Amino acid sequence: MDRKDFLLALDETLELEPGTLTGAETLESLDSWDSLAVISFIALVDETMDVVVEGEKLARAKTVDDLLALAGVAVAA
């Protein structure tokens, strides 16, 4: 899954309009980023990328780009 597809899947997971997320957003700025969203993100990464996200690393994530890096998706320079 490439960056664009993953961002669209994350939009859907967070119940945002498709194309909302760009990667630069801070997680604290997203109203939908809550404990349920964290669990949904972990499940999304496991199902689509076959990657297990460590809770300790996820707790340090501050931006959507941080989430992409945890998922193993290339982050734009």
Side-chain angles (χ1 to χ4, degrees), residues 21-74:
L21 297 175
T22 65
E25 299 83 6
T26 61
L27 297 177
E28 68 182 24
S29 72
L30 301 173
D31 291 336
S32 57
W33 187 252
D34 56 17
S35 57
L36 180 58
V38 169
I39 293 167
S40 297
F41 170 76
I42 292 169
L44 173 67
V45 173
D46 184 36
E47 292 171 7
T48 61
M49 308 300 283
D50 199 26
V51 171
V52 176
V53 176
E54 296 176 32
E56 192 174 295
K57 290 181 181 179
L58 183 55
R60 290 193 300 261
K62 301 292 183 212
T63 66
V64 172
D65 276 338
D66 292 342
L67 296 180
L68 293 172
L70 289 173
V73 177

